[in-house]
Amino acid sequence: MRYAVISDVHGNMDALEAVLADARKQGAEGYLFAGDYCLSLPYPEEVIDRIRKIENAVLIRGNEEQYIERMRGEREECWAGGQMHISCWCEQALCEENKDYLQTLPKEAVFQGRDGGPNIFMEHSSQTYIGDAELGKFSCPTIPLMYKGGTADT
């Protein structure tokens, strides 16, 4: 099967439709969606609704789907600073059914490669290998601290 790999749509409905049209032109028979579907841009609900209707699709969660899970039931002021402000808005814009759907997605997928080839492993980030270390190092509250002296402290 010929797959189109799509990731980091971030609520950009126009880009999603353009990529899907190009994938069809290229002969895609299946779709591998690698997460970060709806946070950051203005069409979170529409993007999720569209992706849910695509046949022959494998979907996994990205780090932004984890943000949605963490934001549920939290006070907005806990998340409203910096770049998370738009994420907070998007989380509120999603219907409960789509939030539930995103939380059911697996963090990884393993499936048979083309023509009996080797298995393919798909994951949005390297959390399986390094845990949440990248979230701790590169989250909104920590980035300004890294650049206090004008350069990133690593």
Side-chain angles (χ1 to χ4, degrees):
M1 181 175 282
R2 189 173 199 168
Y3 291 101
V5 179
I6 303 170
S7 183
D8 295 85
V9 176
H10 291 283
N12 189 336
M13 189 64 177
D14 292 337
L16 175 61
E17 290 297 352
V19 167
L20 290 172
D22 185 61
R24 283 189 298 275
K25 272 190 352 193
Q26 301 295 326
E29 302 164 286
Y31 299 87
L32 307 178
F33 284 94
D36 285 5
Y37 305 111
C38 58
L39 294 185
S40 301
L41 292 168
Y43 301 105
E45 190 76 11
E46 294 84 349
V47 166
I48 299 304
D49 289 342
R50 178 69 173 99
I51 288 173
R52 289 182 72 172
K53 294 175 184 170
I54 296 172
E55 294 182 23
N56 296 322
V58 175
L59 288 89
I60 61 168
R61 294 171 65 165
N63 57 298
E64 293 207 345
E65 283 72 46
Q66 292 176 39
Y67 295 157
I68 291 171
E69 183 175 5
R70 290 177 184 170
M71 287 179 194
R72 284 182 95 170
E74 291 285 332
R75 294 185 333 264
E76 183 175 351
E77 59 267 16
C78 294
W79 292 92
Q83 78 181 50
M84 295 307 289
H85 187 73
I86 187 66
S87 298
C88 189
W89 176 86
C90 288
E91 186 274 336
Q92 293 172 358
L94 287 171
C95 71
E96 292 299 316
E97 180 183 343
N98 279 340
K99 289 179 201 177
D100 291 342
Y101 172 75
L102 292 172
Q103 288 183 5
T104 66
L105 296 176
K107 292 182 180 180
E108 62 186 39
V110 179
F111 49 94
Q112 183 70 47
R114 188 175 185 181
D115 299 325
N119 285 346
I120 297 170
F121 176 82
M122 180 173 67
E123 183 176 28
H124 181 80
S125 66
S126 55
Q127 288 180 341
T128 298
Y129 304 103
I130 64 170
D132 283 335
E134 65 185 12
L135 274 176
K137 187 167 184 168
F138 299 109
S139 67
C140 281
T142 58
I143 290 174
L145 297 174
M146 293 168 56
Y147 287 93
K148 246 182 4 187
T151 59
D153 300 325
T154 55

